Amino acid sequence: MAGKAKNGAEKPNGANLPFLYRHYDHETLRGALRKMHLIRQFEEGAEESYMRGLIHGTMHLSIGQEASAVGICLGLTDEDQITSTHRGHGHCIAKGADVSRMFAEFFGKTTGYCRGRGGSMHIADVSTGNLGANGIVGGGLPIAVGAALTAKKTKSGNVVVCFFGDGANNEGAFHEALNMAAIWKLPVIFVCENNGYGMSTSVERATAVKNIADRAAAYAMPGVIVEGNVVSDVAQAMHEATERARKGEGPTLIECKTYRYRGHSKSDRNRYRTKEEIEEWMTERDPIEMFEAELQELGVIDMAGIEAIRADVAREIAEGIEFAKESPMPDVANLEKYVYTEQA
Ligand SMILES: Cc1ncc(C[n+]2csc(CCOP(=O)(O)OP(=O)(O)O)c2C)c(N)n1
Ligand SMILES: [Mg+2]
């Protein structure tokens, strides 16, 4: 099964399968599969709601990248923190967000995570350790370093995960953040979701090094390349990085090679890539299908169990959309409230 895709990703061979089996019980693994379905169906539901005119503005879907969000967050506690990106729905859900409140936020309703003020690109939920999505490419990097400095100074034992895209690796903030995290040995894990493109620009055209993980050498930290669509590979790399961070040995850069099925945002017409390339990822490397096959192979779940998960997730998504539809709109007189520091 070995072979390379256009962005240099190896085809998965399941070599790290035993890792998941050794470290997580069956219920946790079935929960991870459920979360992947929840992310996928949430985004499909959001996409449909957008088409129906229920959501305004734009949104960035991470369909196809679910293994990275779930594999990274699998071993984290609610006290461990993440910073996310403009393509952050999967990160929020993987870290424990409630899809009803997410839909409500997308619909601009008062019951949303930011009372309808933020929308798709600004969901934050400190109660589950989500410090927030960020519309500024690379914007989460310095925030994660600051949060990790807090964790170190307060000796909390928590780690901070910073998700970012391949496009962010050429931002100054990326280099400053990695350097500072390394010299201070901060408990932060930098997770680059390399989906091959920053808008319409391929990684090959924009980045001098072959792998983004190669950048780690300049900041004296491990740089690990993983099959970003294979949950077990992602989770194993993350486990090692987390142990290192909790022991006070400092940061790690993990590069998850992955792919987004949808366009960059709602206005993308996919002119910079071929249909065949998209189809190859969808048919041969779909993270959910591969994880389902892995779990069946391990005897963790059977087809009836998978179907039950899909149906249960569909019910949760339908209820979430209904909740959002029925929730009240914010009052125009209050529009400036809750934008900065006001608490509930
Ligand atoms: C500082 C900054 N520059 C440019 C943009 C416009 N922009 C939004 S998303 C994006 C591409 C980001 O690509 P990548 O980091 O690979 O993430 P992906 O969209 O592939 O998930 C750009 C250029 C921005 N939001 N912020
Ligand atoms: Mg990208």
Side-chain angles (χ1 to χ4, degrees):
M1 265 174 72
K4 283 193 191 245
K6 212 178 156 224
N7 78 349
E10 293 285 345
K11 279 197 182 173
N13 58 18
N16 288 322
L17 210 59
F19 170 81
L20 281 180
Y21 204 56
R22 276 200 312 273
H23 282 82
Y24 297 102
D25 59 34
H26 287 195
E27 203 182 323
T28 306
L29 295 179
R30 285 191 290 265
L33 177 64
R34 190 183 188 284
K35 276 213 168 141
M36 290 174 81
H37 277 290
L38 196 60
I39 295 170
R40 173 102 25 126
Q41 290 194 34
F42 173 84
E43 292 202 310
E44 287 169 350
E47 192 174 35
E48 203 193 317
S49 303
Y50 179 90
M51 301 295 185
R52 289 170 184 239
L54 295 165
I55 299 174
H56 302 283
T58 190
M59 68 172 87
H60 308 81
L61 301 174
S62 64
I63 296 177
Q65 301 186 186
E66 297 89 350
S68 157
V70 171
I72 291 293
C73 294
L74 192 59
L76 296 179
T77 67
D78 275 355
E79 284 68 44
D80 294 322
Q81 295 170 315
I82 64 162
T83 62
S84 176
T85 68
H86 56 286
R87 201 176 300 287
H89 313 152
H91 309 147
C92 293
I93 294 171
K95 197 66 175 60
D98 167 28
V99 291
S100 296
R101 290 186 65 196
M102 284 179 69
F103 275 124
E105 187 57 39
F106 284 35
F107 283 46
K109 302 296 184 75
T110 53
T111 50
Y113 270 106
C114 311
R115 296 167 188 266
R117 268 75 166 169
S120 156
M121 262 188 285
H122 301 97
I123 290 185
D125 177 19
V126 287
S127 70
T128 57
N130 179 0
L131 297 178
N134 203 313
I136 299 166
V137 171
L141 284 146
I143 296 172
V145 170
L149 180 59
T150 302
K152 179 164 180 164
K153 290 281 179 198
T154 59
K155 299 187 170 50
S156 67
N158 300 332
V159 299
V160 183
V161 172
C162 175
F163 286 104
F164 59 99
D166 45 277
N169 103 98
N170 296 314
E171 293 278 352
F174 167 85
H175 299 274
E176 294 176 37
L178 266 71
N179 186 60
M180 201 170 266
I183 55 173
W184 290 343
K185 290 202 182 325
L186 300 181
V188 53
I189 297 127
F190 297 103
V191 178
C192 179
E193 298 187 311
N194 179 358
N195 57 13
Y197 299 91
M199 296 184 91
S200 57
T201 306
S202 69
V203 174
E204 294 78 37
R205 281 179 63 207
T207 297
V209 287
K210 188 164 175 282
N211 299 298
I212 288 155
D214 297 345
R215 300 272 202 216
Y219 303 107
M221 68 178 77
V224 186
I225 301 170
V226 294
E227 296 308 327
N229 284 12
V230 178
V231 179
S232 44
D233 288 12
V234 175
Q236 179 161 15
M238 180 60 187
H239 180 77
E240 284 158 18
T242 308
E243 292 231 307
R244 181 179 143 80
R246 292 205 209 276
K247 274 193 268 173
E249 291 173 8
T252 300
L253 170 59
I254 298 175
E255 177 183 1
C256 295
K257 305 266 194 193
T258 183
Y259 199 77
R260 62 168 158 73
Y261 295 171
R262 300 295 197 269
H264 167 74
S265 64
K266 299 314 297 173
S267 56
D268 184 343
R269 296 164 84 179
N270 282 317
R271 291 217 169 116
Y272 50 90
R273 54 184 186 166
T274 61
K275 258 194 194 145
E276 290 73 29
E277 181 184 299
I278 302 171
E279 266 166 33
E280 191 202 320
W281 280 88
M282 287 176 75
T283 53
E284 291 184 37
R285 296 153 186 264
D286 183 73
I288 296 183
E289 279 177 20
M290 288 195 292
F291 194 42
E292 286 177 349
E294 285 181 359
L295 294 184
Q296 287 182 88
E297 210 175 298
L298 288 171
V300 173
I301 202 164
D302 58 15
M303 208 51 220
I306 291 172
E307 273 158 17
I309 286 180
R310 287 184 195 151
D312 190 48
V313 166
R315 178 201 46 78
E316 186 175 341
I317 294 298
E319 283 174 12
I321 292 175
E322 226 23 64
F323 170 80
K325 273 189 193 160
E326 284 168 11
S327 292
M329 290 293 280
D331 187 342
V332 177
N334 280 338
L335 221 54
E336 289 171 11
K337 243 185 141 188
Y338 311 118
V339 175
Y340 291 103
T341 56
E342 288 102 332
Q343 300 294 312

